Amino acid sequence: MINRIIKFGIGSLFFLSLFSCKEQPIGVDFSNIQKSDTTYVTTVDTPQTKNYYIEEFSGVRCTNCPQGAAKLEALNTANDGRLKIVTVHNGGLTAPNYNLGSKQDFRVVQGLQLMTLIYGGDLSKPNASFDRLNLGPNPTAPLVGAVSQWDAMLAAAKNESPSTPVNIYLESKRSNSDPNVFNIVVKLAYTESVATPQYLSIYLIEDNIIDNQIDPFIENFNFRHVFRQSLLPITGTPILADLSTIEPGRVYESKIKFVLDPNDEDLYRQKFWNLDNVYIVAFVHNGTAGEDKRVYQAVDTHLKP
């Protein structure tokens, strides 16, 4: 058994460059995040059913975005909840209009980083990618498509990746002594041999946010799957980077402890978070710098147990 303990402190310059600025939407004390990793080999698991990871790009000033949101909900229902959706509000058409009743701003720094690092910059909206697959003519970037293409893109994603080589087990444990302390446990169990470098990402998402859609104007619109922030660098963290091949039966377990600070008045947007509607999406993927950025598996669970 191999154990690793990482504390993201002042010396973690790359990590802090992503997370320490006051523009983050809630008071997670990233300077004190603790991450410990364990790995071992055991009996090979039965493979999980493959879930499909969707990154949707939407905005409150986007005329067709309510149509896109409805389409994803319909697709998810038709696929028994197997779509793990993250909706990013950044770039054009995403600024709130407080004169028309906007209550909050969904834009976050990490959403812009995600768009830039993975998709090359601002995107038209609504757009979505499926498992970050290169389904289009550009071999170096995942295909993003408009609503009319999403049925075909999901079908192509299912054809490209009908199964997953890694099972993900995810749980959130709230501290009994301090309700602002959370412990996230992610266990990866490999069911197939994988030689491509693997990365883990963990996002905090909020569902069922009631606010005004500005264009078209829809009062008290229900915004779903809104990306709030990442608990790890937006590019993910390497999984067992010292192994050239991850063999079947290999288990990797990561424990992440973080603290919410709801009393930080400098973080204006934090007061809008409803922790009852916040959940975690964890997914395993290839690196964001290579040509193949595919997601192998994604699961979610509520932040509050």
Side-chain angles (χ1 to χ4, degrees):
M1 179 180 293
I2 301 173
N3 294 284
R4 302 177 178 88
I5 298 177
I6 302 170
K7 184 171 182 178
F8 294 108
I10 294 174
S12 302
L13 297 180
F14 172 71
F15 191 86
L16 287 178
S17 72
L18 289 177
F19 296 121
S20 63
C21 71
K22 287 292 184 180
E23 293 180 79
Q24 296 305 321
I26 197 166
V28 175
D29 185 359
F30 283 105
S31 65
N32 288 320
I33 277 186
Q34 296 183 34
K35 181 176 184 292
S36 62
D37 302 330
T38 301
T39 186
Y40 54 90
V41 178
T42 187
T43 305
V44 180
D45 263 11
T46 301
Q48 291 175 337
T49 300
K50 174 77 169 77
N51 296 323
Y52 295 91
Y53 176 75
I54 316 300
E55 277 171 342
E56 179 200 17
F57 301 92
S58 188
V60 299
R61 296 173 182 257
C62 165
T63 303
N64 295 320
C65 283
Q67 174 192 357
K71 179 63 176 179
L72 283 183
E73 295 310 311
L75 283 175
N76 196 26
T77 299
N79 286 274
D80 301 319
R82 290 167 54 206
L83 306 189
K84 305 306 173 184
I85 303 166
V86 171
T87 300
V88 179
H89 289 254
N90 271 95
L93 307 178
T94 61
N97 186 327
Y98 298 109
N99 292 327
L100 291 179
S102 292
K103 300 178 182 67
Q104 58 178 300
D105 188 345
F106 299 143
R107 297 173 297 176
V108 292
V109 171
Q110 292 172 328
L112 189 60
Q113 292 170 339
L114 185 155
M115 287 172 47
T116 301
L117 292 171
I118 298 171
Y119 299 96
D122 198 1
L123 300 168
S124 60
K125 300 170 183 71
N127 257 319
S129 76
F130 289 72
D131 272 348
R132 294 181 177 171
L133 290 172
N134 296 359
L135 301 172
N138 185 348
T140 62
L143 175 68
V144 288
V147 177
S148 62
Q149 300 173 300
W150 291 354
D151 287 285
M153 291 174 66
L154 178 58
K158 290 180 176 180
N159 184 64
E160 177 82 12
S161 302
S163 61
T164 172
V166 58
N167 293 348
I168 306 179
Y169 304 95
L170 174 65
E171 62 179 327
S172 175
K173 299 178 180 179
R174 197 173 194 178
S175 171
N176 292 326
S177 59
D178 187 342
N180 291 319
V181 175
F182 289 85
N183 294 278
I184 309 301
V185 180
V186 185
K187 186 174 81 170
L188 312 180
Y190 282 83
T191 61
E192 298 177 23
S193 177
V194 177
T196 305
Q198 304 273 281
Y199 290 78
L200 173 66
S201 286
I202 304 174
Y203 293 168
L204 294 181
I205 309 300
E206 187 171 354
D207 209 8
N208 298 318
I209 302 173
I210 304 302
D211 205 335
N212 289 354
Q213 173 76 23
I214 302 305
D215 183 11
F217 183 77
I218 305 174
E219 190 172 14
N220 295 326
F221 185 75
N222 187 1
F223 291 90
R224 305 291 310 274
H225 318 293
V226 175
F227 174 76
R228 288 302 201 180
Q229 69 185 65
S230 175
L231 288 179
L232 301 173
I234 201 66
T235 52
T237 56
I239 299 168
L240 302 171
D242 51 338
L243 297 180
S244 59
T245 299
I246 301 176
E247 69 270 46
R250 172 68 63 178
V251 173
Y252 170 83
E253 187 172 294
S254 186
K255 297 180 180 179
I256 299 170
K257 178 180 179 180
F258 69 95
V259 182
L260 298 179
D261 184 6
N263 297 314
D264 188 342
E265 295 298 330
D266 292 331
L267 294 166
Y268 170 72
R269 281 170 283 188
Q270 72 179 20
K271 67 182 182 181
F272 295 108
W273 279 43
N274 180 351
L275 295 184
D276 290 333
N277 292 334
V278 174
Y279 63 98
I280 311 160
V281 174
F283 57 100
V284 174
H285 56 94
N286 288 344
T288 57
E291 293 186 359
D292 186 352
K293 300 177 174 66
R294 75 182 58 223
V295 173
Y296 292 89
Q297 179 67 318
V299 300
D300 55 22
T301 193
H302 284 285
L303 176 64
K304 289 173 61 176

